[in-house]
Every structure is written in structure tokens, then in C-alpha cells.
Amino acid sequence: AVALDDADNLELEMLLDAIESLRNKVSSDAAAAAMQAVRDQRSIDSFISDLQAEVVEAGEAIERDYQLLALNIEEQSAAFGREKRNAMADRAATLLSELEAAAPASFR
């Protein structure tokens, strides 16, 4: 066994105090880092949640726009079809009148 004098004991005590202080500081820093990581994760989770909500909202807006566009195209198509049918019926009536006018009297 080694005999320690008062100076050695004082140095050991100071060394132990320094180690204890360092351990407390590291422990405190680790706890602070863990709490910051939790805050960062919550922030990321919140951001992701907000982003998902925006994507859903944009998807719903696109769906509404698509439905309106499909309805508009359907209405335009029906109107175009009616116009073409009416034009063809008018042309057929005109051609029939011209044929009847040009036909010999025995065909009338």
C-alpha cells in the first residue's frame, strides 16, 4: 500500500471533484441533446403533417377541378352534337327541297 500525504489526498479530491463536475456536465449536455432531438422530431412530424394536409387539400382541389372540367366538356360535346345534328337536318331539308324542285313533275 502506498501512503498518501495530505497534499496527495487534496490532489485526489480535486481530481475526483473535476471528474464529478465533468460527468455532471456530460450528463446535462446529453439530456439537453436528447430533449432537442425530441423537439426536432416533433417539429419534423408537425412539418410532415402540415405537408400531408396540404397535399390532401391540393388533391381534393384537383379532383373538384377535374370533375368541373369533365362536366364542362360533356356539356360542350352535347351542344356541339346538337349543333351538328341541326345543321345536318337543315342541309338535308335543303337538299330534299332542291331535289324535289329539280325532279320532273311525274315524280312529285
mmCIF file of all heavy atoms in Angstrom, residues 32-71:
data_model
loop_
_atom_site.group_PDB
_atom_site.id
_atom_site.type_symbol
_atom_site.label_atom_id
_atom_site.label_comp_id
_atom_site.label_asym_id
_atom_site.label_seq_id
_atom_site.Cartn_x
_atom_site.Cartn_y
_atom_site.Cartn_z
ATOM 1 N N ALA A 32 -29.788 17.548 -22.564
ATOM 2 C CA ALA A 32 -30.195 18.675 -23.411
ATOM 3 C C ALA A 32 -30.267 18.239 -24.875
ATOM 4 O O ALA A 32 -31.194 18.604 -25.606
ATOM 5 C CB ALA A 32 -29.232 19.848 -23.241
ATOM 6 N N ALA A 33 -29.291 17.444 -25.314
ATOM 7 C CA ALA A 33 -29.285 16.957 -26.694
ATOM 8 C C ALA A 33 -30.489 16.050 -26.954
ATOM 9 O O ALA A 33 -31.121 16.125 -28.007
ATOM 10 C CB ALA A 33 -27.984 16.221 -26.992
ATOM 11 N N ALA A 34 -30.817 15.206 -25.990
ATOM 12 C CA ALA A 34 -31.979 14.318 -26.139
ATOM 13 C C ALA A 34 -33.272 15.132 -26.221
ATOM 14 O O ALA A 34 -34.144 14.842 -27.048
ATOM 15 C CB ALA A 34 -32.036 13.334 -24.975
ATOM 16 N N MET A 35 -33.384 16.151 -25.371
ATOM 17 C CA MET A 35 -34.595 16.997 -25.402
ATOM 18 C C MET A 35 -34.671 17.751 -26.723
ATOM 19 O O MET A 35 -35.749 17.886 -27.308
ATOM 20 C CB MET A 35 -34.601 17.961 -24.215
ATOM 21 C CG MET A 35 -34.869 17.247 -22.908
ATOM 22 S SD MET A 35 -34.989 18.239 -21.385
ATOM 23 C CE MET A 35 -34.598 19.866 -21.780
ATOM 24 N N GLN A 36 -33.534 18.235 -27.237
ATOM 25 C CA GLN A 36 -33.523 18.937 -28.519
ATOM 26 C C GLN A 36 -33.918 17.986 -29.644
ATOM 27 O O GLN A 36 -34.642 18.360 -30.554
ATOM 28 C CB GLN A 36 -32.140 19.549 -28.799
ATOM 29 C CG GLN A 36 -32.092 20.367 -30.074
ATOM 30 C CD GLN A 36 -33.033 21.560 -30.053
ATOM 31 O OE1 GLN A 36 -33.161 22.244 -29.056
ATOM 32 N NE2 GLN A 36 -33.700 21.797 -31.167
ATOM 33 N N ALA A 37 -33.447 16.753 -29.572
ATOM 34 C CA ALA A 37 -33.801 15.758 -30.584
ATOM 35 C C ALA A 37 -35.305 15.506 -30.587
ATOM 36 O O ALA A 37 -35.924 15.390 -31.648
ATOM 37 C CB ALA A 37 -33.037 14.452 -30.336
ATOM 38 N N VAL A 38 -35.901 15.446 -29.402
ATOM 39 C CA VAL A 38 -37.358 15.261 -29.308
ATOM 40 C C VAL A 38 -38.076 16.466 -29.908
ATOM 41 O O VAL A 38 -39.036 16.322 -30.667
ATOM 42 C CB VAL A 38 -37.790 15.029 -27.839
ATOM 43 C CG1 VAL A 38 -39.296 15.135 -27.687
ATOM 44 C CG2 VAL A 38 -37.292 13.678 -27.355
ATOM 45 N N ARG A 39 -37.594 17.685 -29.575
ATOM 46 C CA ARG A 39 -38.210 18.898 -30.145
ATOM 47 C C ARG A 39 -38.070 18.915 -31.660
ATOM 48 O O ARG A 39 -39.012 19.249 -32.384
ATOM 49 C CB ARG A 39 -37.574 20.151 -29.535
ATOM 50 C CG ARG A 39 -38.071 20.485 -28.149
ATOM 51 C CD ARG A 39 -37.674 21.893 -27.728
ATOM 52 N NE ARG A 39 -36.239 22.047 -27.537
ATOM 53 C CZ ARG A 39 -35.586 21.769 -26.412
ATOM 54 N NH1 ARG A 39 -36.242 21.316 -25.369
ATOM 55 N NH2 ARG A 39 -34.286 21.948 -26.330
ATOM 56 N N ASP A 40 -36.874 18.539 -32.150
ATOM 57 C CA ASP A 40 -36.655 18.498 -33.596
ATOM 58 C C ASP A 40 -37.581 17.488 -34.254
ATOM 59 O O ASP A 40 -38.151 17.753 -35.312
ATOM 60 C CB ASP A 40 -35.195 18.153 -33.913
ATOM 61 C CG ASP A 40 -34.229 19.266 -33.558
ATOM 62 O OD1 ASP A 40 -34.689 20.404 -33.298
ATOM 63 O OD2 ASP A 40 -33.008 19.001 -33.529
ATOM 64 N N GLN A 41 -37.734 16.318 -33.629
ATOM 65 C CA GLN A 41 -38.606 15.281 -34.191
ATOM 66 C C GLN A 41 -40.052 15.764 -34.229
ATOM 67 O O GLN A 41 -40.755 15.558 -35.209
ATOM 68 C CB GLN A 41 -38.502 13.975 -33.385
ATOM 69 C CG GLN A 41 -39.299 12.832 -33.989
ATOM 70 C CD GLN A 41 -38.836 12.463 -35.382
ATOM 71 O OE1 GLN A 41 -37.648 12.383 -35.652
ATOM 72 N NE2 GLN A 41 -39.775 12.254 -36.287
ATOM 73 N N ARG A 42 -40.488 16.427 -33.158
ATOM 74 C CA ARG A 42 -41.852 16.969 -33.137
ATOM 75 C C ARG A 42 -42.020 18.004 -34.234
ATOM 76 O O ARG A 42 -43.053 18.063 -34.891
ATOM 77 C CB ARG A 42 -42.161 17.586 -31.778
ATOM 78 C CG ARG A 42 -42.427 16.568 -30.699
ATOM 79 C CD ARG A 42 -42.812 17.231 -29.399
ATOM 80 N NE ARG A 42 -42.963 16.233 -28.355
ATOM 81 C CZ ARG A 42 -42.781 16.475 -27.077
ATOM 82 N NH1 ARG A 42 -42.452 17.686 -26.671
ATOM 83 N NH2 ARG A 42 -42.923 15.524 -26.190
ATOM 84 N N SER A 43 -40.991 18.826 -34.434
ATOM 85 C CA SER A 43 -41.033 19.842 -35.475
ATOM 86 C C SER A 43 -41.129 19.184 -36.847
ATOM 87 O O SER A 43 -41.909 19.609 -37.698
ATOM 88 C CB SER A 43 -39.792 20.728 -35.391
ATOM 89 O OG SER A 43 -39.806 21.692 -36.400
ATOM 90 N N ILE A 44 -40.329 18.135 -37.052
ATOM 91 C CA ILE A 44 -40.375 17.405 -38.327
ATOM 92 C C ILE A 44 -41.737 16.745 -38.501
ATOM 93 O O ILE A 44 -42.334 16.805 -39.584
ATOM 94 C CB ILE A 44 -39.230 16.368 -38.392
ATOM 95 C CG1 ILE A 44 -37.890 17.092 -38.526
ATOM 96 C CG2 ILE A 44 -39.439 15.395 -39.540
ATOM 97 C CD1 ILE A 44 -36.678 16.187 -38.357
ATOM 98 N N ASP A 45 -42.239 16.110 -37.444
ATOM 99 C CA ASP A 45 -43.556 15.465 -37.509
ATOM 100 C C ASP A 45 -44.641 16.485 -37.839
ATOM 101 O O ASP A 45 -45.532 16.219 -38.650
ATOM 102 C CB ASP A 45 -43.881 14.757 -36.193
ATOM 103 C CG ASP A 45 -43.020 13.529 -35.951
ATOM 104 O OD1 ASP A 45 -42.360 13.064 -36.904
ATOM 105 O OD2 ASP A 45 -43.003 13.040 -34.803
ATOM 106 N N SER A 46 -44.552 17.637 -37.222
ATOM 107 C CA SER A 46 -45.528 18.700 -37.482
ATOM 108 C C SER A 46 -45.430 19.167 -38.933
ATOM 109 O O SER A 46 -46.438 19.362 -39.605
ATOM 110 C CB SER A 46 -45.289 19.869 -36.523
ATOM 111 O OG SER A 46 -46.165 20.930 -36.823
ATOM 112 N N PHE A 47 -44.206 19.353 -39.411
ATOM 113 C CA PHE A 47 -44.000 19.762 -40.801
ATOM 114 C C PHE A 47 -44.575 18.729 -41.758
ATOM 115 O O PHE A 47 -45.271 19.071 -42.715
ATOM 116 C CB PHE A 47 -42.500 19.969 -41.068
ATOM 117 C CG PHE A 47 -42.174 20.212 -42.510
ATOM 118 C CD1 PHE A 47 -42.421 21.445 -43.086
ATOM 119 C CD2 PHE A 47 -41.628 19.198 -43.290
ATOM 120 C CE1 PHE A 47 -42.128 21.668 -44.422
ATOM 121 C CE2 PHE A 47 -41.333 19.417 -44.618
ATOM 122 C CZ PHE A 47 -41.585 20.658 -45.189
ATOM 123 N N ILE A 48 -44.284 17.453 -41.494
ATOM 124 C CA ILE A 48 -44.794 16.378 -42.349
ATOM 125 C C ILE A 48 -46.318 16.354 -42.313
ATOM 126 O O ILE A 48 -46.967 16.211 -43.347
ATOM 127 C CB ILE A 48 -44.201 15.020 -41.933
ATOM 128 C CG1 ILE A 48 -42.720 14.974 -42.286
ATOM 129 C CG2 ILE A 48 -44.953 13.858 -42.576
ATOM 130 C CD1 ILE A 48 -41.966 13.778 -41.722
ATOM 131 N N SER A 49 -46.885 16.513 -41.135
ATOM 132 C CA SER A 49 -48.339 16.529 -41.001
ATOM 133 C C SER A 49 -48.949 17.690 -41.789
ATOM 134 O O SER A 49 -49.934 17.513 -42.506
ATOM 135 C CB SER A 49 -48.723 16.630 -39.527
ATOM 136 O OG SER A 49 -50.113 16.685 -39.374
ATOM 137 N N ASP A 50 -48.338 18.879 -41.650
ATOM 138 C CA ASP A 50 -48.825 20.040 -42.409
ATOM 139 C C ASP A 50 -48.698 19.806 -43.902
ATOM 140 O O ASP A 50 -49.610 20.137 -44.672
ATOM 141 C CB ASP A 50 -48.045 21.301 -42.021
ATOM 142 C CG ASP A 50 -48.337 21.771 -40.611
ATOM 143 O OD1 ASP A 50 -49.331 21.297 -40.013
ATOM 144 O OD2 ASP A 50 -47.568 22.617 -40.105
ATOM 145 N N LEU A 51 -47.586 19.226 -44.320
ATOM 146 C CA LEU A 51 -47.368 18.950 -45.734
ATOM 147 C C LEU A 51 -48.383 17.939 -46.261
ATOM 148 O O LEU A 51 -48.937 18.115 -47.352
ATOM 149 C CB LEU A 51 -45.940 18.439 -45.944
ATOM 150 C CG LEU A 51 -45.446 18.311 -47.371
ATOM 151 C CD1 LEU A 51 -45.531 19.649 -48.103
ATOM 152 C CD2 LEU A 51 -44.015 17.804 -47.386
ATOM 153 N N GLN A 52 -48.661 16.911 -45.469
ATOM 154 C CA GLN A 52 -49.664 15.910 -45.874
ATOM 155 C C GLN A 52 -51.034 16.555 -46.018
ATOM 156 O O GLN A 52 -51.767 16.264 -46.964
ATOM 157 C CB GLN A 52 -49.715 14.772 -44.859
ATOM 158 C CG GLN A 52 -48.534 13.843 -44.928
ATOM 159 C CD GLN A 52 -48.531 12.804 -43.818
ATOM 160 O OE1 GLN A 52 -49.055 13.030 -42.733
ATOM 161 N NE2 GLN A 52 -47.910 11.666 -44.069
ATOM 162 N N ALA A 53 -51.378 17.448 -45.095
ATOM 163 C CA ALA A 53 -52.667 18.140 -45.172
ATOM 164 C C ALA A 53 -52.735 18.990 -46.442
ATOM 165 O O ALA A 53 -53.774 19.026 -47.115
ATOM 166 C CB ALA A 53 -52.876 19.011 -43.928
ATOM 167 N N GLU A 54 -51.635 19.657 -46.781
ATOM 168 C CA GLU A 54 -51.615 20.471 -47.998
ATOM 169 C C GLU A 54 -51.761 19.600 -49.239
ATOM 170 O O GLU A 54 -52.459 19.969 -50.187
ATOM 171 C CB GLU A 54 -50.311 21.274 -48.081
ATOM 172 C CG GLU A 54 -50.249 22.432 -47.122
ATOM 173 C CD GLU A 54 -48.945 23.215 -47.255
ATOM 174 O OE1 GLU A 54 -48.407 23.313 -48.381
ATOM 175 O OE2 GLU A 54 -48.477 23.729 -46.225
ATOM 176 N N VAL A 55 -51.101 18.441 -49.238
ATOM 177 C CA VAL A 55 -51.192 17.523 -50.380
ATOM 178 C C VAL A 55 -52.620 17.008 -50.533
ATOM 179 O O VAL A 55 -53.158 16.957 -51.652
ATOM 180 C CB VAL A 55 -50.186 16.353 -50.231
ATOM 181 C CG1 VAL A 55 -50.461 15.247 -51.236
ATOM 182 C CG2 VAL A 55 -48.762 16.857 -50.366
ATOM 183 N N VAL A 56 -53.251 16.652 -49.419
ATOM 184 C CA VAL A 56 -54.640 16.185 -49.463
ATOM 185 C C VAL A 56 -55.548 17.295 -49.998
ATOM 186 O O VAL A 56 -56.405 17.060 -50.859
ATOM 187 C CB VAL A 56 -55.114 15.709 -48.065
ATOM 188 C CG1 VAL A 56 -56.615 15.521 -48.024
ATOM 189 C CG2 VAL A 56 -54.408 14.414 -47.690
ATOM 190 N N GLU A 57 -55.353 18.510 -49.494
ATOM 191 C CA GLU A 57 -56.162 19.647 -49.936
ATOM 192 C C GLU A 57 -55.958 19.916 -51.429
ATOM 193 O O GLU A 57 -56.926 20.144 -52.157
ATOM 194 C CB GLU A 57 -55.778 20.885 -49.117
ATOM 195 C CG GLU A 57 -56.651 22.089 -49.384
ATOM 196 C CD GLU A 57 -56.272 23.262 -48.496
ATOM 197 O OE1 GLU A 57 -56.056 23.066 -47.290
ATOM 198 O OE2 GLU A 57 -56.192 24.385 -49.044
ATOM 199 N N ALA A 58 -54.709 19.858 -51.872
ATOM 200 C CA ALA A 58 -54.424 20.062 -53.299
ATOM 201 C C ALA A 58 -55.067 18.958 -54.128
ATOM 202 O O ALA A 58 -55.638 19.228 -55.197
ATOM 203 C CB ALA A 58 -52.922 20.110 -53.542
ATOM 204 N N GLY A 59 -55.004 17.730 -53.639
ATOM 205 C CA GLY A 59 -55.633 16.611 -54.349
ATOM 206 C C GLY A 59 -57.137 16.787 -54.466
ATOM 207 O O GLY A 59 -57.728 16.515 -55.516
ATOM 208 N N GLU A 60 -57.750 17.259 -53.387
ATOM 209 C CA GLU A 60 -59.198 17.498 -53.415
ATOM 210 C C GLU A 60 -59.540 18.623 -54.390
ATOM 211 O O GLU A 60 -60.531 18.533 -55.121
ATOM 212 C CB GLU A 60 -59.705 17.826 -52.016
ATOM 213 C CG GLU A 60 -59.678 16.637 -51.072
ATOM 214 C CD GLU A 60 -59.947 16.994 -49.624
ATOM 215 O OE1 GLU A 60 -59.999 18.206 -49.290
ATOM 216 O OE2 GLU A 60 -60.101 16.064 -48.812
ATOM 217 N N ALA A 61 -58.727 19.672 -54.417
ATOM 218 C CA ALA A 61 -58.959 20.784 -55.349
ATOM 219 C C ALA A 61 -58.807 20.302 -56.787
ATOM 220 O O ALA A 61 -59.614 20.661 -57.654
ATOM 221 C CB ALA A 61 -57.996 21.928 -55.063
ATOM 222 N N ILE A 62 -57.803 19.478 -57.037
ATOM 223 C CA ILE A 62 -57.598 18.930 -58.390
ATOM 224 C C ILE A 62 -58.783 18.059 -58.782
ATOM 225 O O ILE A 62 -59.269 18.126 -59.917
ATOM 226 C CB ILE A 62 -56.277 18.141 -58.456
ATOM 227 C CG1 ILE A 62 -55.097 19.112 -58.373
ATOM 228 C CG2 ILE A 62 -56.195 17.301 -59.716
ATOM 229 C CD1 ILE A 62 -53.752 18.434 -58.163
ATOM 230 N N GLU A 63 -59.269 17.247 -57.854
ATOM 231 C CA GLU A 63 -60.427 16.381 -58.135
ATOM 232 C C GLU A 63 -61.658 17.221 -58.483
ATOM 233 O O GLU A 63 -62.381 16.911 -59.427
ATOM 234 C CB GLU A 63 -60.717 15.477 -56.935
ATOM 235 C CG GLU A 63 -61.920 14.572 -57.109
ATOM 236 C CD GLU A 63 -61.789 13.569 -58.240
ATOM 237 O OE1 GLU A 63 -60.665 13.213 -58.618
ATOM 238 O OE2 GLU A 63 -62.838 13.139 -58.756
ATOM 239 N N ARG A 64 -61.890 18.306 -57.700
ATOM 240 C CA ARG A 64 -63.036 19.186 -57.997
ATOM 241 C C ARG A 64 -62.880 19.832 -59.365
ATOM 242 O O ARG A 64 -63.819 19.868 -60.161
ATOM 243 C CB ARG A 64 -63.169 20.260 -56.922
ATOM 244 C CG ARG A 64 -63.743 19.785 -55.613
ATOM 245 C CD ARG A 64 -64.069 20.944 -54.679
ATOM 246 N NE ARG A 64 -62.931 21.805 -54.414
ATOM 247 C CZ ARG A 64 -62.049 21.630 -53.429
ATOM 248 N NH1 ARG A 64 -62.194 20.610 -52.597
ATOM 249 N NH2 ARG A 64 -61.051 22.464 -53.258
ATOM 250 N N ASP A 65 -61.670 20.325 -59.655
ATOM 251 C CA ASP A 65 -61.418 20.939 -60.961
ATOM 252 C C ASP A 65 -61.620 19.933 -62.085
ATOM 253 O O ASP A 65 -62.188 20.259 -63.136
ATOM 254 C CB ASP A 65 -59.995 21.511 -61.022
ATOM 255 C CG ASP A 65 -59.816 22.742 -60.146
ATOM 256 O OD1 ASP A 65 -60.839 23.297 -59.668
ATOM 257 O OD2 ASP A 65 -58.652 23.145 -59.927
ATOM 258 N N TYR A 66 -61.155 18.717 -61.879
ATOM 259 C CA TYR A 66 -61.306 17.670 -62.888
ATOM 260 C C TYR A 66 -62.786 17.367 -63.132
ATOM 261 O O TYR A 66 -63.214 17.229 -64.279
ATOM 262 C CB TYR A 66 -60.568 16.402 -62.436
ATOM 263 C CG TYR A 66 -60.754 15.241 -63.380
ATOM 264 C CD1 TYR A 66 -60.045 15.171 -64.565
ATOM 265 C CD2 TYR A 66 -61.664 14.226 -63.090
ATOM 266 C CE1 TYR A 66 -60.233 14.116 -65.436
ATOM 267 C CE2 TYR A 66 -61.851 13.171 -63.955
ATOM 268 C CZ TYR A 66 -61.126 13.123 -65.134
ATOM 269 O OH TYR A 66 -61.315 12.080 -65.999
ATOM 270 N N GLN A 67 -63.567 17.275 -62.056
ATOM 271 C CA GLN A 67 -64.996 16.996 -62.209
ATOM 272 C C GLN A 67 -65.697 18.131 -62.958
ATOM 273 O O GLN A 67 -66.539 17.881 -63.821
ATOM 274 C CB GLN A 67 -65.636 16.768 -60.848
ATOM 275 C CG GLN A 67 -65.228 15.453 -60.208
ATOM 276 C CD GLN A 67 -65.748 15.303 -58.785
ATOM 277 O OE1 GLN A 67 -66.295 16.227 -58.206
ATOM 278 N NE2 GLN A 67 -65.550 14.121 -58.210
ATOM 279 N N LEU A 68 -65.341 19.373 -62.609
ATOM 280 C CA LEU A 68 -65.932 20.515 -63.319
ATOM 281 C C LEU A 68 -65.531 20.515 -64.788
ATOM 282 O O LEU A 68 -66.348 20.789 -65.667
ATOM 283 C CB LEU A 68 -65.513 21.833 -62.658
ATOM 284 C CG LEU A 68 -66.145 22.143 -61.312
ATOM 285 C CD1 LEU A 68 -65.512 23.390 -60.698
ATOM 286 C CD2 LEU A 68 -67.648 22.340 -61.460
ATOM 287 N N LEU A 69 -64.276 20.209 -65.052
ATOM 288 C CA LEU A 69 -63.791 20.158 -66.429
ATOM 289 C C LEU A 69 -64.505 19.056 -67.209
ATOM 290 O O LEU A 69 -64.933 19.274 -68.357
ATOM 291 C CB LEU A 69 -62.279 19.922 -66.440
ATOM 292 C CG LEU A 69 -61.599 19.904 -67.796
ATOM 293 C CD1 LEU A 69 -61.790 21.242 -68.510
ATOM 294 C CD2 LEU A 69 -60.124 19.601 -67.643
ATOM 295 N N ALA A 70 -64.666 17.890 -66.598
ATOM 296 C CA ALA A 70 -65.362 16.780 -67.261
ATOM 297 C C ALA A 70 -66.807 17.158 -67.558
ATOM 298 O O ALA A 70 -67.321 16.877 -68.653
ATOM 299 C CB ALA A 70 -65.296 15.523 -66.387
ATOM 300 N N LEU A 71 -67.459 17.816 -66.608
ATOM 301 C CA LEU A 71 -68.840 18.260 -66.820
ATOM 302 C C LEU A 71 -68.904 19.287 -67.941
ATOM 303 O O LEU A 71 -69.770 19.210 -68.818
ATOM 304 C CB LEU A 71 -69.401 18.844 -65.519
ATOM 305 C CG LEU A 71 -70.851 19.317 -65.546
ATOM 306 C CD1 LEU A 71 -71.787 18.161 -65.863
ATOM 307 C CD2 LEU A 71 -71.218 19.950 -64.213
#
